[in-house]
Amino acid sequence: MSQKDKLLKLADENNGILLSKQVTEQGFSRSTIKSLVCDGLLEPIQRGIYVTKNGYADDFFLLGQKFKNGIFSHETALYLLGFSDRTPIQITMTFEHGNSTTRIKNEGVRPVMISNDFLLGRTTIVRNGLTIRVYSIERTLVDLLKPRYEADYEQLIPALKQYAAYDKKDVNKLFRYARQFGVEKQIRNYMGVLL
């Protein structure tokens, strides 16, 4: 099997997506990617990301690759976690203070900057066969209730109701996060009615 065939097989195993990083890690030459692009078998869709004719990379995956230091959060996380059926009008990602927001905003992403507990509640989901970084539902609900964030209550209230009926909910974690971020009273008010 030639290097080209091996790379195409690798792409097929990854939903038709090939990352330059994977090519290097597997010990292949990057010139093989250029050759596959010239042959029309791969198409560059973003720096370091290539897709086959049958491959598919959605915007969430591409933004996650472009902004590796960000985590999908707030209403975007509700959607990705299945707690909202409304596709976000604007994608929201959380970043640690110190990141420049100019490039992020130019991509149409709403950046939320925080200085503490950036990694708390971070998890990954698999969407269309691709791994995406997102906050857990407990962290997301707490983030939406923070006073400095103007949450969309038309999405928040149904998400809280769905969470109350969710068989994998971790109420202890929810209250621990709420206490840590100073929104325990709000969580107690909502959950006291729903549970």
Side-chain angles (χ1 to χ4, degrees), residues 137-156:
I137 186 59
E138 289 83 8
R139 168 71 188 256
T140 299
L141 293 173
V142 166
D143 280 346
L144 287 167
L145 288 170
K146 288 181 185 173
R148 286 183 21 202
Y149 186 83
E150 294 178 17
D152 180 352
Y153 281 88
E154 288 182 19
Q155 286 185 282
L156 175 61

Side-chain angles (χ1 to χ4, degrees), residues 67 99-109 111:
F67 303 116
N99 285 283
S100 170
T101 60
T102 305
R103 202 170 124 238
I104 299 166
K105 289 177 181 175
N106 287 343
E107 288 293 329
V109 173

Side-chain angles (χ1 to χ4, degrees), residues 106-154:
N106 287 343
E107 288 293 329
V109 173
R110 177 183 181 184
V112 175
M113 310 307 284
I114 63 171
S115 54
N116 297 324
D117 302 311
F118 174 68
L119 298 177
L120 186 70
R122 182 184 70 170
T123 188
T124 58
I125 60 166
V126 176
R127 179 181 160 86
N128 300 319
L130 303 167
T131 303
I132 298 172
R133 291 174 312 282
V134 64
Y135 281 124
S136 68
I137 186 59
E138 289 83 8
R139 168 71 188 256
T140 299
L141 293 173
V142 166
D143 280 346
L144 287 167
L145 288 170
K146 288 181 185 173
R148 286 183 21 202
Y149 186 83
E150 294 178 17
D152 180 352
Y153 281 88
E154 288 182 19

Side-chain angles (χ1 to χ4, degrees), residues 165-182:
Y166 184 48
D167 61 340
K168 295 180 182 175
K169 67 181 168 284
D170 187 339
V171 178
N172 291 330
K173 184 189 288 184
L174 178 68
F175 282 108
R176 189 172 67 247
Y177 290 174
R179 193 174 312 113
Q180 192 155 346
F181 288 104

Side-chain angles (χ1 to χ4, degrees), residues 59-60 63 72-80 84-93 104-105 107-111 149-155:
D59 290 340
F60 297 105
L63 285 170
F72 290 105
S73 60
H74 299 81
E75 288 88 359
T76 304
L78 284 182
Y79 174 75
L80 290 170
S84 173
D85 57 1
R86 192 187 305 172
T87 306
I89 295 169
Q90 186 175 30
I91 292 173
T92 305
M93 293 180 83
I104 299 166
K105 289 177 181 175
E107 288 293 329
V109 173
R110 177 183 181 184
Y149 186 83
E150 294 178 17
D152 180 352
Y153 281 88
E154 288 182 19
Q155 286 185 282

